Amino acid sequence: MQTAHSVAEFAHSFPNQFLDWKRDSNYLISLSVDNEEKLQRLFYKLQDNGADVVAFTEPDINDQLTSICYYGTPEMRKITDKLDLALEEVKVATKN
């Protein structure tokens, strides 16, 4: 659910990029990090490298950072290519 919040925030903050994504790709990939601190570091690393990126903080849990969304250019994907897919551990557990 947090992914949906950050995608909506991205669409609001970067409407032209969002329309480009919708027209050219329409792919969504949800990745996982271990904790909020790592998510913050990833957000700033993407931002520092010029990514169009937004952060979503959850008001119901003291504005904790719960999701980010960025436009996945090949250059930006290199920054996140080592991250696990979100819920991958659930998929693996259900196969056993």
Side-chain angles (χ1 to χ4, degrees):
M1 184 59 157
Q2 299 307 311
T3 300
H5 287 294
S6 61
V7 170
E9 185 65 32
F10 186 90
H12 175 76
S13 297
F14 298 102
N16 292 334
Q17 283 287 53
F18 184 80
L19 292 173
D20 289 348
W21 163 81
K22 181 69 177 151
R23 182 191 65 235
D24 298 337
S25 160
N26 209 30
Y27 283 104
L28 285 176
I29 300 172
S30 292
L31 303 171
S32 177
V33 296
D34 294 333
N35 56 50
E36 183 183 16
E37 182 181 325
K38 288 181 181 178
L39 188 57
Q40 287 174 332
R41 285 197 309 251
L42 178 58
F43 173 80
Y44 289 121
K45 184 173 185 175
L46 287 163
Q47 193 175 55
D48 290 347
N49 281 278
D52 291 334
V53 60
V54 296
F56 178 77
T57 56
E58 180 57 66
D60 294 338
I61 51 174
N62 298 322
D63 292 322
Q64 188 175 13
L65 178 64
T66 57
S67 182
I68 65 174
C69 180
Y70 74 98
Y71 192 78
T73 65
E75 298 81 23
M76 295 305 127
R77 287 194 304 259
K78 289 177 186 176
I79 295 171
T80 58
D81 66 355
K82 301 276 192 260
L83 296 176
D84 292 332
L85 291 173
L87 302 177
E88 185 68 17
E89 65 278 359
V90 173
K91 182 177 156 186
V92 171
T94 58
K95 286 184 178 181
N96 295 330

